Amino acid sequence: MKTYPVYLNGELTVTDTSYEVTNPAKGEVVARMSSVDRSVVAQAIQDAQTAFVGWRQLAGKGRGELLFQVANEVYRRREEIARFITLENGKPLTQSQGEVAMAVDHLRWFAEEARRAYGRIIPHQVKEKRHLVLKAPVGVVGAISPWNFPLALAVRKVAPALAAGCTVVLKPASRTPLCAVAFAECADVAGLPNGVFQLVTGSAAEIGREFLENPLCRKITFTGSTEVGKTLIEGAAQQVKPLALELGGHAPVIVFEDADLNKAVAGTMTAKFRNSGQSCIAANRIYVHRSLYEPFLKSLVEQTKELKVGDGLDPESQIGPLIDEEAVGRALEHVEDAVRGGARVLCGGNRVERTGFFFEPTVLKDAPKGSLCMQEETFAPVAPVCAFDDEAEAIEQANKSPYGLSAYAFTRDLGRVFRLAETLEAGMIAINDGVPTATQAPFGGLKQSGWGRELGSEGLEAFLETKHISIGT
Ligand code: NAP
């Protein structure tokens, strides 16, 4: 069985230690991944610091041109990389292909943005002085990414950091390292100088600690659970290390009485079932105005029953496996808890009896407000629905969560659109839309969903320091 390499200072290196990578559709080991210990991570940071000196001096245009080369190489290998994603994450191949396309788009956007780290000249206060504002790269960045969109979410960090003139040590999720290795190969072929981008795997706690405690690592950018995010916040205090945190979500969907029913169901299906519900912006709680409640449920259940569950490599599959056995257990626990509280299972509700970690696409009617699925990320294809009577009640329920990543609403009332935009507590508000992500728009959350934004011009800004230069004339 092949052992895949880490990428250290320009070398793709198979190390002495490795671990198993499992295909969640079959529950079987498909590859081994090299791992490193903390001392190797410390060396990677040192090499990234050495590389930083030259990389930051390259003009933005030059860095952008290299990023375009990386994008072209990822694009050239797009089919192979999509298969890696399906193999290690389980999502249907068409969704993996979409993820690779999104990653290429991110790379191209930030290749262009590399030229746009604008400073400014401020009108002077006294006539003998002039004031400039410069944007400077923060330095070596430690990036930690999750398994649910293993390529796109890593690229969302690496591309803007490199564009800004930073160098990056990436630690991907242990379950999904193979597409990150493919990305490292693309960076290598594109000719990124040694040490500008590196890939490490191993104990998450040890690597995280090295990123936190090594003074050469100037910023940590993390996507993952709120629980681990809180650990990083505690660890960052000692060195006041800046953190960018993209954490958990618990998105509400609100279907108002004036919604286009077909669009509302279609948008909800996408927001709920994409990646088998394992998305930080997945619809978690669905509130439907009482006047549309029964027709909405009827249509949602009909469409949910039609979803084809299967191995992501089968072109017919629309719902792949969950990431592991524990995820199946949590989905079951959330369904049983809701049922105990009075919910009715309209379809699904159980694990699928086959090898791999599959769960049936599920619709729950009258999900109780206090149930687990209405409060915690289910991260599974489970759609809990309940009725509401007026707008104020819907907004109050939507905001009653410690999370604030995304929110969805379906309505044709323009005045209401503005009220929702102003009052919903979420970093991304999708109106009549099931996928609010766009490369050129900021992505991130409020409250316990995190700090900072990725993508858009904000994505570059996250890796720049602001310096004021005061000049006596
Ligand atoms: P996770 O368990 O927090 O893991 C995320 C990453 O952190 C992985 O690379 C993991 O490594 C690493 N990690 C674990 N413990 C660590 C520690 N003590 N120090 C440093 N790093 C550590 O989250 P997940 O289960 O992979 O991802 C699902 C979560 O991510 C959900 O909550 C989801 O909502 C959130 N998410 C948020 C966004 C967003 O943009 N806001 C996007 C996608 C996902 P190992 O794999 O080696 O354990």
Side-chain angles (χ1 to χ4, degrees):
M1 182 168 295
K2 182 167 176 181
T3 302
Y4 286 79
V6 289
Y7 185 52
L8 301 168
N9 206 21
E11 296 289 338
L12 288 153
T13 308
V14 174
T15 61
D16 293 342
T17 52
S18 65
Y19 68 90
E20 294 174 343
V21 180
T22 301
N23 172 2
K26 299 220 164 89
E28 64 187 30
V29 177
V30 287
R32 297 193 69 83
M33 179 66 204
S34 295
S35 59
V36 299
D37 64 20
R38 187 169 167 174
S39 66
V40 176
V41 181
Q43 184 59 48
I45 292 171
Q46 179 62 59
D47 292 335
Q49 174 63 28
T50 305
F52 175 61
V53 177
W55 184 245
R56 68 176 305 178
Q57 283 171 3
L58 202 60
K61 184 168 185 279
R63 291 195 298 268
E65 279 165 2
L66 280 164
L67 277 175
F68 271 122
Q69 296 299 324
V70 181
N72 292 345
E73 188 58 17
V74 173
Y75 183 75
R76 191 183 70 74
R77 291 181 58 185
R78 61 194 181 282
E79 284 305 320
E80 180 198 355
I81 297 176
R83 290 183 84 80
F84 274 139
I85 295 177
T86 293
L87 200 64
E88 58 189 352
N89 165 287
K91 70 179 68 175
L93 194 56
T94 48
Q95 293 184 27
S96 298
Q97 289 160 341
E99 181 173 343
V100 178
M102 179 161 61
V104 169
D105 195 49
H106 295 346
L107 282 160
R108 291 187 173 146
W109 163 265
F110 285 110
E112 291 163 4
E113 285 293 279
R115 306 192 200 207
R116 299 185 188 122
Y118 302 129
R120 65 192 200 276
I121 296 179
I122 298 172
H124 48 274
Q125 200 160 349
V126 292
K127 74 175 184 332
E128 302 81 13
K129 285 196 183 191
R130 296 295 181 268
H131 303 278
L132 313 183
V133 175
L134 289 188
K135 296 288 179 175
V138 299
V140 176
V141 171
I144 303 174
S145 56
W147 50 265
N148 60 343
F149 290 85
L151 181 70
L153 297 185
V155 168
R156 233 171 249 192
K157 303 176 177 315
V158 175
L162 297 184
C166 300
T167 53
V168 182
V169 180
L170 170 68
K171 183 236 163 296
S174 296
R175 293 185 185 87
T176 53
L178 304 186
C179 60
V181 175
F183 179 79
E185 289 167 355
C186 293
D188 194 60
V189 168
L192 286 186
N194 291 354
V196 164
F197 169 73
Q198 297 175 83
L199 173 72
V200 296
T201 57
S203 155
E206 272 192 41
I207 296 171
R209 195 86 353 248
E210 186 61 31
F211 285 172
L212 286 166
E213 292 175 4
N214 189 324
L216 293 177
C217 176
R218 300 296 293 274
K219 180 158 188 167
I220 298 175
T221 169
F222 170 80
T223 300
S225 60
T226 297
E227 189 190 346
V228 173
K230 288 178 182 174
T231 310
L232 293 174
I233 291 170
E234 281 173 13
Q238 283 313 311
Q239 294 198 16
V240 195
K241 187 153 297 190
L243 299 175
L245 301 171
E246 295 285 343
L247 308 179
H250 202 268
V253 176
I254 315 173
V255 180
F256 288 97
E257 62 277 22
D258 62 336
D260 175 324
L261 184 63
N262 291 336
K263 280 193 183 152
V265 174
T268 305
M269 290 291 295
T270 307
K272 178 66 258 180
F273 293 113
R274 195 167 63 114
N275 202 16
S276 306
Q278 301 170 112
S279 160
C280 54
I281 56 169
N284 272 268
R285 324 166 254 150
I286 303 161
Y287 303 101
V288 183
H289 191 268
R290 207 169 295 280
S291 63
L292 282 185
Y293 194 49
E294 294 301 335
F296 178 91
L297 279 169
K298 183 169 179 289
S299 178
L300 186 73
V301 169
E302 277 168 11
Q303 294 187 35
T304 304
K305 281 182 175 168
E306 280 172 17
L307 291 171
K308 182 144 183 350
V309 178
D311 187 330
L313 290 175
D314 175 349
E316 303 271 288
S317 297
Q318 294 164 295
I319 298 279
L322 297 182
I323 192 68
D324 57 21
E325 185 57 39
E326 198 185 329
V328 175
R330 187 178 49 233
L332 205 52
E333 184 194 353
H334 278 207
V335 170
E336 287 170 358
D337 171 75
V339 168
R340 271 195 303 277
R344 273 180 52 208
V345 179
L346 298 187
C347 63
N350 282 303
R351 66 176 306 145
V352 179
E353 291 307 334
R354 56 179 286 171
T355 48
F357 313 123
F358 291 89
F359 199 81
E360 294 173 341
T362 300
V363 176
L364 299 175
K365 182 180 181 183
D366 297 338
K369 290 189 180 93
S371 56
L372 289 174
C373 62
M374 298 297 272
Q375 299 189 55
E376 293 175 13
E377 274 187 306
T378 305
F379 245 51
V382 176
V385 191
C386 65
F388 72 89
D389 291 298
D390 65 49
E391 183 181 307
E393 176 196 353
I395 293 174
E396 187 193 338
Q397 285 304 319
N399 287 343
K400 218 177 232 180
S401 168
Y403 298 109
L405 189 58
S406 60
Y408 301 81
F410 293 88
T411 177
R412 285 180 283 195
D413 177 334
L414 187 59
R416 175 180 279 151
V417 169
F418 279 92
R419 289 194 294 280
L420 294 171
E422 286 158 15
T423 55
L424 283 177
E425 294 171 356
M428 289 161 288
I429 298 171
I431 308 284
N432 303 323
D433 177 18
V435 190
T437 313
T439 298
Q440 50 273 64
F443 187 104
L446 315 180
K447 302 198 275 189
Q448 293 192 28
S449 289
W451 294 344
R453 294 292 179 273
E454 294 188 329
L455 302 183
S457 51
E458 289 84 350
L460 187 75
E461 188 67 33
F463 297 102
L464 294 168
E465 299 281 16
T466 300
K467 290 179 170 174
H468 167 212
I469 319 297
S470 177
I471 305 172
T473 59

